[in-house]
Amino acid sequence: MKRISQALAAAAVSIAMSIPAHAETTLTVHYPMPGFFKDVMDTISKKFMEENPDIRIQFANPSATYEEGIQTIMRQAGTAEMPDVTFIGLNRLRMLNERDIPVDLGPLVAKEADMAAQGFSENILKLAQVKGKQVGLAFATSNPIMYYNADLVRAAGGNPDVPPKTWDEVIALGGKIKALGDGNEGIDFRWQGDDWMFSALLFGAGGTMLNEDETKVTFNGPEGQKAVEVLDRMVKEGGLPVLTKQAGEQAFVAGKIGFAFQTTGALRNTIKNVGTKFDLRTAHIPLIDPVNGKLPTGGNAVVILTHDAEKQDAAWKFAKFAAGPYGASVVVPGTGYVPNNELAAASPDYLGTFYKENPLFRAGLEQMPLMKPWYAFPGSNGVKVTQTIVENLSRVVEQSVTPQEALDDAAADVEDLLPRS
């Protein structure tokens, strides 16, 4: 019996040695805004692991916002806590790159037979480039849209089938909705958190943040003045109250706000939270200058941080998958972001029929030709610059200073934060 056991053991060893070892690579992945992205990330990672059984995805604790996300990565850079892959706000790629933290994806892109055939056109690749360097791959892209409560619009004498196309029309109708009483407010304009919605007004007026050589603030020029004047008028005439981001969201989905202006990325959650409370519609956000106006591109890019050769290969597979047609086909219906992958947008296998069946999602898609990069301020003070702009916008909303005073103060503070040449 002992000899039989020994023979069986030897045979087992022989068989085990003849089967190639199954080496599993584990990638730690960090992402922001779990309210938007948790379900999306879970779905994408599950499908990726099914197709790549030798790679396991584990998630680090997500960050509540893009700003918290970049600060987390900056703190963890070069330590054992740093994740292998992260998703960074498009306006913070520059800050990350200036610290030489992300892996240059250019050589990896160059090795691919045809990135365009995978849906990554030159324009899409450029969304996640910093001065020509491929810092990441655009994962979720968005633009600001107008959400509106058709029931309140109708009650105020407007036609919900013909939404307002100018800020004058929005403000006038917002004021009428506030005049309905019963706790109704006219407008929720998402000015809190970062400079993105200020960019929507500024770029929509044809303005810029800084001059071409990035030595001087330009957002306090004529276009910026028009932008803060519109915000001021929303408060004085359009029924824009002082609300936190969360309070604004809650009031709108409760049916107490006529118009909400924010990212198309919030659409899926808004649809879910509104339910059948009222007739929810979406439309284009007005441009102050309809001819020269543009819109900021919000969203984030997948960025590779690991310099381990084996992990880097696995991370590149994951990055292409997440930002590729399958990932886009999960992100768009799951959030409301616009497709960052041309194959996903056109193919019936992914999103080809989605927009026909889901009209609320069309506003963001139709505005894609107006999208320009979300401006990234130079130097290491990008987060402080954003905070400065937001703090001064809050003074306009709170009516504690004139729009011009807030704009001038913001410009002076931001210039002090720019890098010295």
Side-chain angles (χ1 to χ4, degrees):
M1 181 65 72
K2 185 175 180 181
R3 287 180 180 176
I4 293 174
S5 298
Q6 289 174 337
L8 289 172
V13 170
S14 176
I15 292 170
M17 290 178 68
S18 67
I19 298 174
H22 178 73
E24 183 181 79
T25 301
T26 299
L27 293 176
T28 300
V29 177
H30 164 267
Y31 65 91
M33 298 172 22
F36 283 1
F37 293 116
K38 184 183 184 304
D39 291 345
V40 165
M41 291 293 181
D42 288 346
T43 301
I44 290 173
S45 63
K46 180 180 178 182
K47 180 71 171 176
F48 175 77
M49 287 188 287
E50 287 174 0
E51 296 187 9
N52 298 271
D54 57 333
I55 302 173
R56 186 169 74 91
I57 303 298
Q58 64 179 19
F59 290 112
N61 289 332
S63 300
T65 64
Y66 287 142
E67 303 306 307
E68 288 183 23
I70 185 64
Q71 292 182 42
T72 295
I73 297 303
M74 300 288 265
R75 284 196 307 269
Q76 294 177 345
T79 72
E81 293 182 321
M82 185 178 74
D84 302 306
V85 175
T86 186
F87 291 77
I88 293 292
L90 294 174
N91 69 324
R92 296 301 178 219
L93 294 176
R94 180 175 185 168
M95 183 186 295
L96 205 65
N97 186 61
E98 286 177 349
R99 299 288 185 90
D100 201 27
I101 295 172
V103 171
D104 182 2
L105 302 186
L108 298 174
V109 170
K111 288 180 183 177
E112 293 290 320
D114 190 351
M115 286 293 281
Q118 300 175 57
F120 299 100
S121 67
E122 282 299 315
N123 286 337
I124 285 174
L125 288 174
K126 284 178 181 177
L127 288 174
Q129 290 177 0
V130 176
K131 294 185 176 179
K133 177 180 174 181
Q134 197 71 49
V135 178
L137 295 177
F139 169 69
T141 51
S142 66
N143 55 63
I145 63 171
M146 177 169 69
Y147 299 73
Y148 65 101
N149 181 327
D151 296 343
L152 286 179
V153 168
R154 195 178 292 108
N159 181 355
D161 296 328
V162 185
K165 292 181 171 57
T166 68
W167 283 113
D168 286 344
E169 292 173 354
V170 168
I171 291 167
L173 196 46
K176 291 177 181 177
I177 290 172
K178 183 175 178 65
L180 293 172
D182 193 29
N184 290 308
E185 302 287 358
I187 300 170
D188 177 38
F189 187 84
R190 193 54 46 78
W191 55 271
Q192 316 92 329
D194 55 45
D195 57 30
W196 194 61
M197 288 302 292
F198 172 66
S199 296
L201 293 175
L202 177 68
F203 296 171
T208 57
M209 287 291 190
L210 301 183
N211 62 359
E212 285 191 16
D213 63 7
E214 300 185 313
T215 58
K216 185 173 177 58
V217 165
T218 55
F219 66 70
N220 60 337
E223 298 86 2
Q225 291 168 10
K226 291 176 184 177
V228 291
E229 284 167 5
V230 166
L231 183 61
D232 185 54
R233 288 185 58 210
M234 287 187 210
V235 179
K236 290 176 177 173
E237 306 168 38
L240 171 68
V242 181
L243 293 173
T244 64
K245 175 179 179 293
Q246 183 178 21
E249 289 173 351
Q250 291 173 345
F252 181 74
V253 301
K256 289 298 181 181
I257 291 180
F259 298 96
F261 296 91
Q262 67 155 319
T263 172
T264 185
L267 181 53
R268 176 56 69 190
N269 279 347
T270 303
I271 292 171
K272 175 178 145 185
N273 292 332
V274 167
T276 58
K277 295 189 198 80
F278 61 85
D279 181 4
L280 173 66
R281 309 275 185 97
T282 62
H284 298 189
I285 187 172
L287 300 174
I288 293 174
D289 183 340
V291 176
N292 300 307
K294 299 292 182 183
L295 294 174
T297 302
N300 62 69
V302 54
V303 176
I304 297 176
L305 303 176
T306 180
H307 287 271
D308 177 275
E310 183 180 324
K311 283 192 171 187
Q312 213 171 86
D313 180 61
W316 177 234
K317 289 181 181 177
F318 178 71
K320 287 187 298 176
F321 187 83
Y326 178 79
S329 73
V330 174
V331 170
V332 172
T335 58
Y337 281 83
V338 295
N340 62 294
N341 184 280
E342 291 186 355
L343 182 58
S347 171
D349 293 334
Y350 298 107
L351 297 169
T353 60
F354 174 79
Y355 289 100
K356 295 177 183 177
E357 299 167 355
N358 296 272
L360 291 178
F361 288 75
R362 290 180 198 158
L365 181 72
E366 291 164 356
Q367 291 181 157
M368 286 185 73
L370 296 171
M371 291 164 62
K372 63 182 285 187
W374 185 0
Y375 186 72
F377 286 90
S380 59
N381 291 322
V383 175
K384 289 182 181 178
V385 167
T386 293
Q387 290 170 342
T388 295
I389 292 173
V390 170
E391 286 166 5
N392 280 286
L393 291 178
S394 73
R395 297 166 73 203
V396 176
V397 177
E398 292 163 1
Q399 297 286 283
S400 61
V401 296
T402 67
Q404 189 64 54
E405 287 173 329
L407 194 64
D408 289 342
D409 288 346
D413 291 343
V414 169
E415 286 211 338
D416 287 341
L417 293 168
L418 295 178
R420 301 298 177 195
S421 56

